[in-house]
Amino acid sequence: MMNFQPDRQGPNGFFGLPSNWSHALTPFENGVGGRFEGEVADLVVFGTIPPQLNGTFYRIMVDPFYPLQEGNPPVEGDGNICAFRIKDGRVDMKVRYVDTERLKLERQANKRLFGLYRNPFSHHPCVRAAVDSTANTNLVYWAGKLLALKESAQPYAVDPDTLETLCYDPFKSPGKTFSAHPKVDPFTNELVVFGYEAKGLGTDDIVTYSIDKQGQIHDEQWIKSPWPAFIHDCTITPNFLILVLWPYDADVKRMEAGGQHWVYNKDRPTTFVVVPRRPSQRPAGWSPGETRVYTWDHALQLHTAGSWEEGDKLFFESSRVYYNIFPVLGDPKDKPFRDMEADYVRWEIDLSQPTNTRLADPKVILDVPGEMARIDERFLTRPYDKLFCPVVMPGKSCPVPPILPFGLNGYAMLDKAKGETAMFDPGLGCTIEEPIFVPRSEDAPEGDGWVLGMIQRIDLNRSDLVVLDTRDFAKPVAVVQLPFRTKGQIHGNWVDSVPEKSLVRTLESCEVSGRGALVPET
């Protein structure tokens, strides 16, 4: 018998044929992934989804519709929403792009018009005045609006059922930018927001404020950053906002010359800026408009978990990374991924110490590389014991390099009070993404509920949504199989029960026609 095998000439497996996507192919994808919109009703479920899970898990993916200019970091690309609506043990899925100004202009031209990440001078001249946000970093539901966020601009509001893009800048927010990581204070019902480069490209201006449940803006204040810094995340306590500065520098002249918006700076220390949340209620000993800066040795604090106050001290927890996670934004002469060291730590800021004080060494709470940890967010701004963290599991092989946050391959559940860590290993040949936590009930004890997360099974070219019970973390109670592999998620969030409309199309009612095969002709 003859064995007919395709002659897959060339390194890309497409018979050596070139494409304008050829430079975007990676060893971890089967061709060009993504670029998909659609819906699937009643996904295949293995196991049983707990009946208490009633809501929507919104994920935002980086999914370029047109091939990007070379030299872009992996966080560049159009925002594509993947939503899972879970109810009565069933799961429906919808995938739809955020119709940003940028995407609409490119689809109108049928080609790429935008260049390097956040460098408008590299864009085609006809679109340099356009909002170049890809809306690809986070999805937050607030004041009845689902917000698609990118920290370079204001949010896009998206319909939570159809995923149709509704409008830009729905709250008429101050400044030009809106953080991808606003924080919900569950005790005051406020969304705490900041925007950096808030007065324009490369500026050191930061705006902070809160948005109430009616969408009204309060406590607006303008401050200065120590330098035009990359400020991706923050954390909040009852009285303070803590901004986490990454060690990257912005330089407009470099952008004008065709260079990157950001360049990694090995000489920048770990830097936190502490801002009173309410300018009309200054803490004792703080002058009007005062902020304080605290530093530590050079490292990259990617994302925070939770935070709280004890007297004059602020505590918060974050990942700590000792290398540049975006080599394309660094000096090409640097050795890439310096010794791959990373962990999860607790920081302590003593506000009785003056600004520019060097902090004490943080306490290591998870001594493995971990990133994108989540907590039971009902307790945000208060002390907490449970931490749910994607990690690089010790001694386990991974299909991608162990670079945070791309090489995560297992979930850890840390019980700080007991000093115990439970692990979930999804198996070989896969990576995992940021989880979400859903409490078992409104009054459930802290950390009692379910953790949902996406497994990217690279070896099988498949994506699975897993549901883990925190009472028995090592084995899922349910696995939801997707019919294809999705693009990688950056961030996502759970919206409990609201809204109630179907995520996918519903069929009109049907009655038995009486014309079936068993009905005799008359």
Side-chain angles (χ1 to χ4, degrees):
M1 180 181 294
M2 296 183 67
N3 183 18
F4 290 99
Q5 295 290 334
D7 179 17
R8 298 195 178 277
Q9 303 175 39
N12 62 16
F14 292 95
F15 304 95
L17 299 174
S19 167
N20 58 356
W21 283 93
S22 294
H23 74 271
L25 296 174
T26 77
F28 314 116
E29 294 185 307
N30 183 19
V32 179
R35 303 186 70 255
F36 171 84
E37 293 182 307
E39 59 186 39
V40 185
D42 218 352
L43 289 167
V44 175
V45 176
F46 293 85
T48 302
I49 292 179
Q52 300 96 322
L53 282 176
N54 178 19
T56 308
F57 176 18
Y58 293 101
R59 309 168 57 238
I60 190 74
M61 307 177 295
V62 176
D63 193 352
F65 195 89
Y66 293 101
L68 300 174
Q69 177 179 323
E70 291 189 67
N72 269 300
V75 293
E76 183 68 325
D78 299 296
N80 201 356
I81 300 172
C82 175
F84 297 101
R85 177 122 337 137
I86 302 177
K87 187 175 183 179
D88 299 328
R90 298 174 56 253
V91 185
D92 294 337
M93 179 180 72
K94 184 187 288 288
V95 179
R96 183 166 176 170
Y97 277 98
V98 184
D99 290 336
T100 62
E101 183 176 347
R102 168 180 173 146
L103 180 60
K104 289 192 289 186
L105 287 166
E106 290 195 327
R107 293 196 66 173
Q108 181 177 301
N110 290 317
K111 63 180 180 179
R112 173 177 58 81
L113 298 171
F114 291 80
L116 291 175
Y117 177 68
R118 297 184 65 175
N119 181 352
F121 302 104
S122 67
H123 305 338
H124 191 284
C126 71
V127 298
R128 287 181 180 175
V131 175
D132 69 354
S133 166
T134 52
N136 71 2
T137 310
N138 208 351
L139 289 161
V140 173
Y141 188 74
W142 188 255
K145 301 180 187 299
L146 181 62
L147 308 174
L149 303 177
K150 180 75 173 182
E151 61 207 57
S152 60
Q154 295 293 340
Y156 282 90
V158 175
D159 186 285
D161 298 312
T162 66
L163 304 186
E164 176 188 0
T165 303
L166 302 176
C167 68
Y168 178 70
D169 191 14
F171 299 123
K172 307 305 178 193
S173 298
K176 298 180 73 69
T177 60
F178 189 109
S179 170
H181 286 287
K183 303 297 182 184
V184 175
D185 186 329
F187 300 98
T188 63
N189 281 322
E190 295 172 289
L191 185 72
V192 181
V193 181
F194 73 93
Y196 69 93
E197 294 190 38
K199 289 188 177 179
L201 193 69
T203 62
D204 60 359
D205 299 283
I206 301 171
V207 63
T208 72
Y209 52 95
S210 62
I211 305 176
D212 64 24
K213 292 292 284 187
Q214 289 70 48
Q216 299 301 307
I217 292 172
H218 304 273
D219 299 320
E220 178 182 340
Q221 54 187 323
W222 288 82
I223 64 172
K224 291 290 189 178
S225 177
W227 75 93
F230 201 151
I231 314 177
H232 179 63
D233 202 2
C234 71
T235 191
I236 58 173
T237 67
N239 297 295
F240 294 96
L241 165 66
I242 306 169
L243 303 175
V244 180
L245 279 61
W246 287 4
Y248 293 83
D249 295 343
D251 187 317
V252 174
K253 290 184 177 180
R254 181 174 62 238
M255 294 181 232
E256 289 176 333
Q260 300 284 3
H261 186 120
W262 302 113
V263 168
Y264 187 73
N265 187 339
K266 295 179 294 183
D267 297 323
R268 292 281 183 200
T270 292
T271 303
F272 308 116
V273 178
V274 179
V275 187
R277 278 176 54 180
R278 299 171 186 86
S280 62
Q281 302 173 23
R282 294 195 307 276
W286 289 63
S287 59
E290 181 181 359
T291 63
R292 296 182 184 176
V293 176
Y294 296 90
T295 63
W296 190 73
D297 302 340
H298 175 80
L300 176 59
Q301 324 306 319
L302 281 175
H303 291 96
T304 64
S307 47
W308 64 97
E309 297 177 17
E310 293 180 11
D312 284 337
K313 293 184 177 180
L314 309 180
F315 295 87
F316 66 99
E317 294 170 344
S318 75
S319 57
R320 177 175 63 171
V321 179
Y322 286 100
Y323 51 86
N324 176 16
I325 63 169
F326 301 127
V328 72
L329 304 183
D331 187 335
K333 298 188 293 295
D334 286 348
K335 180 182 177 182
F337 312 127
R338 188 187 68 195
D339 54 41
M340 309 302 293
E341 187 179 350
D343 50 18
Y344 224 88
V345 298
R346 179 181 307 142
W347 297 94
E348 177 182 327
I349 297 178
D350 186 349
L351 295 179
S352 68
Q353 298 301 307
T355 190
N356 294 319
T357 296
R358 181 195 181 276
L359 299 178
D361 293 347
K363 179 180 179 180
V364 176
I365 62 170
L366 197 57
D367 196 16
V368 293
E371 220 319 65
M372 295 188 177
R374 301 297 289 263
I375 66 170
D376 184 338
E377 289 165 0
R378 297 174 298 164
F379 294 83
L380 189 61
T381 76
R382 300 291 189 269
Y384 58 94
D385 286 326
K386 302 294 195 306
L387 186 78
F388 310 102
C389 189
V391 297
V392 178
M393 297 186 70
K396 180 184 175 183
S397 64
C398 186
V400 301
I403 307 161
L404 293 183
F406 311 105
L408 301 163
N409 61 8
Y411 289 117
M413 181 178 69
L414 173 64
D415 188 320
K416 295 187 288 184
K418 295 180 179 179
E420 298 174 353
T421 302
M423 303 289 286
F424 168 67
D425 184 349
L428 298 174
C430 64
T431 61
I432 54 101
E433 298 178 346
E434 177 189 46
I436 55 170
F437 171 79
V438 184
R440 202 173 300 272
S441 63
E442 289 184 5
D443 58 354
E446 186 220 330
D448 181 25
W450 297 278
V451 171
L452 281 67
M454 182 66 71
I455 303 174
Q456 299 291 356
R457 300 199 177 279
I458 294 174
D459 55 345
L460 302 176
N461 206 39
R462 191 181 86 214
S463 299
D464 295 339
L465 178 65
V466 293
V467 182
L468 307 173
D469 191 324
T470 61
R471 295 178 181 177
D472 185 10
F473 196 70
K475 183 179 179 181
V477 296
V479 177
V480 183
Q481 180 186 326
L482 275 61
F484 49 81
R485 184 172 155 205
T486 72
K487 295 290 282 186
Q489 160 191 334
I490 294 193
H491 294 291
N493 283 290
W494 174 262
V495 177
D496 199 27
S497 67
V498 179
E500 290 290 345
K501 294 180 182 178
S502 175
L503 192 69
V504 298
R505 71 184 181 97
T506 56
L507 304 183
E508 62 185 23
S509 61
C510 182
E511 297 180 358
V512 175
S513 66
R515 301 182 64 180
L518 297 181
V519 179
E521 286 286 338
T522 58

